[in-house]
Amino acid sequence: MYVSHFREWQPLGCKHEIKAASGDAFEFISQTEGLSFKEALERLASVTGVELPKNLSITKEDNKLFLALDLAANWFAQKNQGVVDYLKQRKISPKIIDKFKIGYAPSSGLKEYLNSSGIEDKILIDIGLVNKNFRDYFYDRLIFPIQSIAGRVVGFGGRALSSEQQPKYLNSPESQLFKKRENLYGLNFALSEIRKKQHIFVVEGYMDVIALHQAEISNTVAPLGTAISAEQIKNLWKFAKEISICMDGDSAGRHAATRVAELALLILEPGYTLKFVTLPSNKDPYDICNELEYKKEDVLTALDHSTKLHSEYLWHHIIDSNLQNYEKLAPEKYSILEHKFMEYVNTISNSSIRRYYRDYFYNKASELRSSFKKQIFNSKTGATKGEYLHNKSPELIEAEQNQAVILRIAVEFPEILNRPIFFEQFSHFEFTNEMKRLQQRIIDVISNKSKLDKEALLQELKQFNVIKYVFEKTSVLNSQLNERKSAEIVWNNIVLLKELNALRKERTKARLSGNLDLEERLIEQIEQIESSIQEMQMEFIEK
């Protein structure tokens, strides 16, 4: 995306002349880093691999502020022998230590060193290397140099090495070079990979960035002791269209992620994606990398499995915050849900996204109501807790239960298969394994015999051992399936649910393809089927 901002390149022998350049990337760099146009151009050129003429080389001679910061970074790095063992214990490689110039601030010595290099105390105070008492600002801390997007040191982060030392993390104070909200740790190292992947991970701390870079996931950045802001998200979208927020798994991290999700509602735009990685409790990205031995694919898989889209993340937050008791979903509970998600919807500025989020939340609320009724229904139709405890997904349990119920009804009342609608539904119903063979045999028998009762059909099917499984699976339904009317209610409910799921998938495809007319027709059909299912389920439950 960066190359598109270089409007015209003219060959001049072996060099190039830049005639014009503009765009959001340049504005972002110049505004957030205080760089000139030429400095921004140099930084972007290094990312894109474009060679610039030598006469465009950017230097700031006599800039003692940057000089002092560079000297301090090198001094801290030279003093890191005392913390190398600590970093090795945390499995940080020497290569990564060198790349990020991780250093150590001893109890004293920096001020004297910089004074001897010609840096006055006023400059050291201005950039936060000494305090107003002329003592070193950082002491007995692990030091992480913070670089601007142009790769220049603008400040430092210091991590305490003992639990007694507070605060755990200490950043340079704000200065004319260092603005916490206008910098992101690791962005200078991440830009190249961000450009390739069009994806950014935003994590919480220095060690998280470093660990992910060591796992070769270098499209990773972190805020500097402050919560990631909506403006920073908006600016990062200028570099990549997809951002994954990956905060720590503790309560503070979850709260920070939720805050980002809420703030982002104001800036959502079509074509830009925000995702959220929810880590296990008390785990952070560093822990994940460490436990998976910094294996890139394993780490990426773990993060991907814990990722939700922005809309999905907000829905789960609404549920977790407002529905602690799923067993009693009274009307007032649903009203609380609707009130909360409509608060979110009304915050969205973009009208198109606002409409889709509203539809998404209403659909999820409808699914929740249906799910609750299905729980009651399944409690009567034999889906047991034991099945959930044997690593079977709810979807698989439901599918197996439905297959067994349909086969049981076909065996109990084979005469209903003489009706074309039931025979067609049975013929097209999806069965698995042995139950599929049983289905085919029933079809063959029914097709060849005009009249058939239960006993005659069982005689034809006696070689199928799966018959015993079908009856055991549906034994709790005996009272309902011994009576044809209630059995037909169960049958119709299962068939309609299957049709409903298919229509929902079609609706999603219609929406993605922009076929709004088809989507509206499908919505009408879905609503009709949902209404029919609810009526049948309530009729069944009352029985």
Side-chain angles (χ1 to χ4, degrees):
M1 64 183 287
Y2 302 107
V3 177
S4 65
H5 293 292
F6 297 95
R7 290 184 180 170
E8 187 176 350
W9 293 86
Q10 295 286 346
L12 274 176
C14 297
K15 301 177 182 177
H16 297 86
E17 177 186 350
I18 301 170
K19 298 192 72 175
S22 65
D24 289 339
F26 286 100
E27 292 169 9
F28 172 54
I29 293 175
S30 61
Q31 289 172 10
T32 60
E33 303 300 332
L35 302 182
S36 68
F37 171 81
K38 286 185 178 180
E39 290 174 310
L41 184 60
E42 183 184 65
R43 180 62 185 134
L44 288 177
S46 69
V47 173
T48 59
V50 176
E51 183 180 354
L52 296 178
K54 291 181 180 179
N55 62 3
L56 282 179
S57 178
I58 301 166
T59 61
K60 287 197 174 182
E61 297 177 1
D62 300 325
N63 191 328
K64 290 187 176 181
L65 298 178
F66 279 116
L67 175 60
L69 290 163
D70 286 338
L71 288 172
N74 290 331
W75 190 79
F76 288 137
Q78 291 169 8
K79 301 293 181 181
N80 72 3
Q81 295 88 346
V83 292
V84 166
D85 287 341
Y86 166 83
L87 292 169
K88 285 182 178 178
Q89 286 176 3
R90 300 203 68 177
K91 298 182 182 178
I92 303 301
S93 70
K95 180 181 177 181
I96 291 294
I97 294 172
D98 291 341
K99 176 180 177 179
F100 285 87
K101 294 184 177 179
I102 304 174
Y104 172 68
S107 57
S108 63
L110 177 63
K111 176 183 178 299
E112 292 74 16
Y113 167 72
L114 293 175
N115 285 161
S116 69
S117 301
I119 309 297
E120 301 91 348
D121 285 345
K122 181 181 182 306
I123 290 176
L124 299 182
I125 293 173
D126 287 344
I127 57 177
L129 287 174
V130 300
N131 58 30
K132 292 182 179 179
N133 295 323
F134 301 99
R135 298 190 61 182
D136 289 355
Y137 184 77
F138 296 101
Y139 57 90
D140 193 26
R141 285 180 178 271
L142 197 62
I143 296 294
F144 304 91
I146 299 166
Q147 299 181 42
S148 71
I149 198 170
R152 295 186 168 184
V153 178
V154 293
F156 298 94
R159 187 191 190 283
L161 293 170
S162 67
S163 57
E164 292 78 21
Q165 192 176 11
Q166 295 297 326
K168 183 177 180 180
Y169 282 98
L170 180 67
N171 286 325
S172 292
E174 300 258 322
S175 70
Q176 67 185 78
L177 297 180
F178 181 57
K179 309 291 183 186
K180 291 179 183 178
R181 289 192 172 275
E182 294 178 0
N183 290 274
L184 290 166
Y185 183 69
L187 184 56
N188 57 304
F189 294 118
L191 270 179
S192 179
E193 192 67 11
I194 288 170
R195 174 178 168 268
K196 292 177 185 175
K197 302 291 187 186
Q198 280 298 294
H199 178 224
I200 306 170
F201 285 105
V202 177
V203 294
E204 200 164 324
Y206 304 118
M207 290 299 293
D208 300 322
V209 171
I210 286 166
L212 284 163
H213 275 254
Q214 183 164 314
E216 298 181 359
I217 305 169
S218 56
N219 51 325
T220 306
V221 300
L224 300 169
T226 61
I228 188 80
S229 68
E231 193 62 27
Q232 285 173 314
I233 295 293
K234 195 172 182 178
N235 283 331
L236 284 173
W237 268 329
K238 295 173 183 178
F239 292 101
K241 293 187 176 182
E242 184 173 301
I243 298 172
S244 292
I245 305 296
C246 185
M247 299 290 100
D248 295 353
D250 57 14
S251 59
R254 290 194 295 272
H255 178 77
T258 300
R259 184 63 180 152
V260 174
E262 293 173 338
L263 290 173
L265 290 164
L266 286 165
I267 61 170
L268 294 174
E269 293 288 342
Y272 297 92
T273 303
L274 190 61
K275 297 180 177 180
F276 291 81
V277 183
T278 304
L279 298 182
S281 179
N282 297 321
K283 297 285 185 183
D284 57 28
Y286 164 80
D287 295 324
I288 302 300
C289 291
N290 200 12
E291 290 172 6
L292 296 175
E293 299 179 343
Y294 297 92
K295 295 176 181 177
K296 180 178 180 178
E297 294 307 319
D298 291 348
V299 174
L300 285 173
T301 298
L303 297 180
D304 184 60
H305 284 170
S306 304
T307 297
K308 296 182 178 69
L309 286 170
H310 180 242
S311 54
E312 185 183 9
Y313 180 84
L314 283 176
W315 171 254
H316 280 272
H317 171 64
I318 294 171
I319 293 296
D320 293 341
S321 302
N322 297 283
L323 284 187
Q324 288 78 26
N325 188 349
Y326 280 86
E327 294 180 0
K328 296 180 180 179
L329 296 182
E332 56 268 26
K333 289 284 188 179
Y334 289 114
S335 68
I336 292 171
L337 291 184
E338 181 171 346
H339 174 74
K340 187 60 181 178
F341 74 62
M342 283 309 298
E343 274 189 0
Y344 286 154
V345 168
N346 291 332
T347 305
I348 299 171
S349 301
N350 185 276
S351 59
S352 174
I353 293 177
R354 186 166 60 246
R355 183 176 72 253
Y356 285 125
Y357 270 58
R358 183 185 62 240
D359 289 351
Y360 171 79
F361 286 135
Y362 272 119
N363 285 339
K364 295 299 288 185
S366 177
E367 288 173 11
L368 187 64
R369 289 194 295 270
S370 297
S371 175
F372 175 60
K373 289 178 179 178
K374 192 184 296 182
Q375 287 177 28
I376 300 175
F377 181 77
N378 284 343
S379 70
K380 290 195 170 190
T381 57
T384 66
K385 290 183 179 179
E387 291 177 294
Y388 290 94
L389 298 175
H390 286 85
N391 297 321
K392 283 189 177 182
S393 69
E395 292 79 11
L396 178 58
I397 293 170
E398 182 180 357
E400 291 178 347
Q401 183 71 29
N402 289 342
Q403 291 172 36
V405 168
I406 292 295
L407 286 170
R408 169 75 182 273
I409 295 172
V411 171
E412 291 281 359
F413 307 101
E415 64 273 14
I416 71 171
L417 295 182
N418 291 322
R419 293 163 59 183
I421 183 66
F422 280 93
F423 185 80
E424 183 180 359
Q425 290 171 351
F426 183 74
S427 300
H428 290 91
F429 202 90
E430 293 181 6
F431 292 89
T432 56
N433 303 324
E434 288 298 309
M435 285 194 281
K436 185 173 183 63
R437 293 180 59 234
L438 181 59
Q439 172 204 27
Q440 189 57 54
R441 180 57 182 156
I442 292 173
I443 291 172
D444 292 342
V445 172
I446 296 294
S447 299
N448 294 326
K449 296 189 178 182
S450 58
K451 291 187 178 181
L452 198 68
D453 59 21
K454 176 181 175 181
E455 296 303 321
L457 181 58
L458 284 174
Q459 185 64 27
E460 293 283 348
L461 303 176
K462 60 183 180 182
Q463 74 272 25
F464 287 90
N465 295 327
V466 73
I467 283 287
K468 182 180 178 182
Y469 167 82
V470 166
F471 275 80
E472 288 176 352
K473 183 81 171 173
T474 59
S475 59
V476 294
L477 272 172
N478 286 343
S479 60
Q480 282 78 22
L481 297 186
N482 285 334
E483 202 272 319
R484 179 167 166 173
K485 184 177 179 181
S486 61
E488 288 186 6
I489 291 174
V490 176
W491 178 296
N492 288 328
N493 183 79
I494 290 172
V495 171
L496 284 176
L497 280 173
K498 195 174 181 63
E499 184 179 349
L500 181 62
N501 290 333
L503 286 173
R504 283 173 175 165
K505 290 179 181 178
E506 287 185 39
R507 179 194 174 189
T508 300
K509 291 179 182 178
R511 175 178 292 181
L512 293 174
S513 65
N515 193 337
L516 300 182
D517 290 338
L518 175 58
E519 182 186 6
E520 286 298 323
R521 292 198 298 273
L522 290 169
I523 289 173
E524 290 180 7
Q525 295 178 45
I526 288 170
E527 290 175 348
Q528 290 173 0
I529 291 176
E530 286 176 341
S531 177
S532 298
I533 289 173
Q534 289 176 11
E535 289 176 6
M536 281 191 295
Q537 287 182 341
M538 292 309 298
E539 184 180 351
F540 180 82
I541 290 167
E542 289 168 1
K543 287 180 175 291

